[in-house]
Amino acid sequence: MEKAKISASQLFILMVLFELGSSLLLPIAMEAKQDAWLSILLGMVSSFILFLIYHKLYLYYPDLLPTEYMQKLLGRVIGTILAFIYILYFLYDVSRVLRDFGEMLLTFAYPDTPLFIANALLILVTIYTVRKGIEVIARSGEILFIFIYVLAITGFILIVCSGLIDVTNLQPVFEEGILPVLRVTFTQILYFPFGEAIVFTMILPYLKNPKKAKVTMLCATGLTGINLAITMLINISVLGVDLTARSQFPLLSTVQSIQVADFLERLDVFFMLALVIGGFFKISILFYAAVIGTANLFKVKSPSQLSYPLGLIILFMSMTISSNFQEHLHEGLKVEMFILHIPLLAIIPPFLLLIAFLRNRKKQRG
């Protein structure tokens, strides 16, 4: 494990940037239609249970990475296999996020550029950052976090001043009852983006003050959920339900609609920069977790040596993961949820916690 430490405020910033990441970019929760924002808030509250499970496991093994305590709990063979599955999950997830932002850059800024070039440039920057370690990633987050929020507040003010918001697009609330909202909450939003923060179990051992871990995680998730709900409220009130659902990148479509005083327009370039920054941190954190997890599992003394080969694997996967962006969205928001997210994020961690609880109770009795 890298000899590094981050503060609780740095962990908070990294979690917010990570959870906002690609979720700001994509039309999440749109199966709930105009109640998408309610589904996001319910998903945020429900995810607190998952985070309390992740945190309790961390308290049992504060100095160990999950790849280590899985072997302690399940035995060397089964624990190693499960740890390897989680590493593969991190690699798969980071390749999906890389594809998201590569497609976004091609759609809005570089339509004649091959997808490979955009993805390669993004992964090269990420490789360089990951090689520098978690402390550099955290300090970079502190600098860019303020920039992103200044842009977000500016964008909100400009949208209001443009007179684009139509509150009637948000009505009626619970048009088809509460069941569709709950279905979206527990089959999508709970896992993407909130459950994906299981990756921070690989970073919690680097925290300077372990006592602040729980409050930091819950506060970061709360802020993220409120931000995503407000973003979805704005998207639907400006674009309407149908256009928001059909749009590949609804937030950028909303920003493109801004026009103030017949001269302040085409601001999507600035907000695209903020989205790329959020995507960069999500890619970096997932990539970092995959690197240190692989190094820990296979006893590699210098984790930075793994950054280039794993980076090439991620680049290859991002290109071959789907034939087009619509298929990519379908796999991410539908198929992946049931095959990967639900078992790895919501079923296995409680099982591990139960085993840890029973083992520690036996030790106490002994």
Side-chain angles (χ1 to χ4, degrees):
M1 199 170 85
E2 181 189 355
K3 293 181 180 179
K5 289 294 179 182
I6 62 173
S7 65
S9 62
Q10 289 174 327
L11 176 66
F12 174 85
I13 288 170
L14 288 179
M15 282 197 69
V16 172
L17 292 175
F18 176 89
E19 291 180 346
L20 289 177
S22 54
S23 52
L24 278 178
L25 190 67
L26 302 175
I28 61 171
M30 283 313 298
E31 287 185 13
K33 298 182 179 178
Q34 63 267 24
D35 297 323
W37 62 279
L38 281 171
S39 186
I40 291 170
L41 291 177
L42 287 174
M44 173 197 74
V45 174
S46 304
S47 70
F48 290 163
I49 299 172
L50 291 181
F51 286 120
L52 291 175
I53 292 172
Y54 303 157
H55 177 258
K56 190 63 177 178
L57 279 169
Y58 166 64
L59 290 182
Y60 279 128
Y61 304 100
D63 299 320
L64 298 181
L65 294 172
T67 48
E68 293 174 296
Y69 66 64
M70 285 177 188
Q71 296 177 59
K72 279 184 172 290
L73 292 173
L74 301 175
R76 188 167 185 82
V77 176
I78 298 176
T80 300
I81 292 172
L82 183 61
F84 187 64
I85 289 172
Y86 272 94
I87 291 170
L88 292 178
Y89 167 72
F90 294 147
L91 290 172
Y92 175 77
D93 206 19
V94 71
S95 67
R96 294 199 64 84
V97 179
L98 182 63
R99 178 66 177 264
D100 288 336
F101 285 90
E103 293 278 3
M104 185 267 289
L105 288 172
L106 265 59
T107 302
F108 283 90
Y110 310 107
D112 298 324
T113 303
L115 179 63
F116 175 82
I117 300 298
N119 286 3
L121 291 174
L122 283 170
I123 200 63
L124 280 174
V125 176
T126 307
I127 288 171
Y128 174 79
T129 308
V130 168
R131 284 177 63 86
K132 295 297 181 181
I134 189 63
E135 288 184 347
V136 171
I137 298 173
R139 286 197 295 268
S140 302
E142 286 180 306
I143 296 170
L144 296 172
F145 183 77
I146 298 172
F147 170 74
I148 289 177
Y149 266 85
V150 168
L151 266 182
I153 294 169
T154 304
F156 177 75
I157 293 171
L158 290 175
I159 289 171
V160 172
C161 292
S162 298
L164 297 171
I165 294 179
D166 184 1
V167 181
T168 58
N169 288 331
L170 300 170
Q171 299 171 346
V173 179
F174 294 134
E175 181 181 12
E176 299 177 6
I178 196 173
L179 287 180
V181 176
L182 293 176
R183 184 175 63 250
V184 173
T185 297
F186 293 107
T187 59
Q188 291 184 21
I189 301 303
L190 179 58
Y191 315 106
F192 173 75
F194 300 113
E196 285 182 312
I198 193 175
V199 70
F200 282 92
T201 57
M202 300 290 289
I203 295 174
L204 285 177
Y206 297 112
L207 190 61
K208 286 179 184 176
N209 189 348
K211 294 180 180 179
K212 294 183 178 179
K214 180 167 70 174
V215 174
T216 302
M217 294 172 73
L218 296 180
C219 288
T221 302
L223 178 61
T224 302
I226 292 169
N227 288 343
L228 288 176
I230 292 172
T231 301
M232 192 52 65
L233 277 169
I234 292 172
N235 288 339
I236 294 173
S237 62
V238 172
L239 302 176
V241 172
D242 293 336
L243 189 54
T244 304
R246 290 199 306 268
S247 176
Q248 291 181 341
F249 310 110
L251 179 58
L252 287 175
S253 299
T254 299
V255 173
Q256 280 185 327
S257 306
I258 295 175
Q259 187 174 0
V260 180
D262 294 326
F263 78 93
L264 195 59
E265 54 186 13
R266 294 296 299 173
L267 300 175
D268 49 305
V269 175
F270 296 101
F271 290 90
M272 187 172 65
L273 177 61
L275 289 172
V276 168
I277 291 171
F280 163 75
F281 280 99
K282 186 164 187 175
I283 292 168
S284 296
I285 292 165
L286 284 167
F287 188 22
Y288 180 80
V291 168
I292 61 169
T294 305
N296 178 264
L297 193 63
F298 296 103
K299 310 303 179 187
V300 179
K301 292 184 179 180
S302 179
S304 61
Q305 294 177 351
L306 298 171
S307 56
Y308 285 111
L310 291 181
L312 289 175
I313 291 172
I314 291 167
L315 179 59
F316 175 76
M317 289 175 64
S318 72
M319 298 298 300
T320 58
I321 207 165
S322 56
S323 57
N324 56 63
F325 192 63
Q326 291 304 321
E327 180 184 332
H328 171 73
L329 283 180
H330 175 74
E331 289 178 3
L333 298 177
K334 303 284 185 176
V335 180
E336 185 186 0
M337 290 293 171
F338 296 97
I339 296 177
L340 292 177
H341 283 173
I342 293 178
L344 294 179
L345 309 184
I347 296 177
I348 293 176
F351 177 68
L352 292 175
L353 179 60
L354 176 62
I355 296 174
F357 170 74
L358 294 175
R359 288 204 170 189
N360 279 270
R361 191 169 67 169
K362 284 182 180 179
K363 285 182 182 179
Q364 289 173 355
R365 285 180 178 178

